[in-house]
Amino acid sequence: MQVRDRAITLNELRVVYASGQEDIIPIKTKVEAGSTYGPIDLKGGNRPIKEIVAFYRSRLLDRSATGRGKAVVEVWGLH
């Protein structure tokens, strides 16, 4: 996961597989703007992923923030 423009508090990642099964990964950590979080190893072997949902909030008191908007969060995967 890469974060741009503003720091975030990352609370949880939810991975939904093509079969409908879900992995809920509780995290609760601060990720600074311009930095990354991860990698995360998923359990259960090689399964196709349908979607990844990140639950986070932009940090309002971030002196290093670029602009006045929300954070941009990109989730990357590798198999």
Side-chain angles (χ1 to χ4, degrees):
M1 169 179 295
Q2 183 173 9
V3 177
R4 292 187 286 134
D5 298 340
R6 180 176 293 277
I8 65 167
T9 299
L10 178 61
N11 295 310
E12 177 182 287
L13 285 178
R14 183 168 295 169
V15 181
V16 181
Y17 298 98
S19 66
Q21 293 178 308
E22 292 185 353
D23 277 339
I24 298 172
I25 305 162
I27 298 172
K28 194 69 174 179
T29 191
K30 180 180 180 180
V31 183
E32 296 290 341
S35 67
T36 61
Y37 179 82
I40 298 172
D41 289 327
L42 301 175
K43 57 187 172 190
N46 191 11
R47 298 183 281 177
I49 295 174
K50 179 180 176 183
E51 67 179 328
I52 299 173
V53 181
F55 294 91
Y56 64 91
R57 66 177 178 84
S58 296
R59 298 191 57 101
L60 296 176
L61 302 175
D62 182 10
R63 294 176 190 222
S64 64
T66 305
R68 298 173 57 113
K70 296 179 180 180
V72 176
V73 178
E74 299 173 339
V75 178
W76 295 73
L78 177 67
H79 62 88

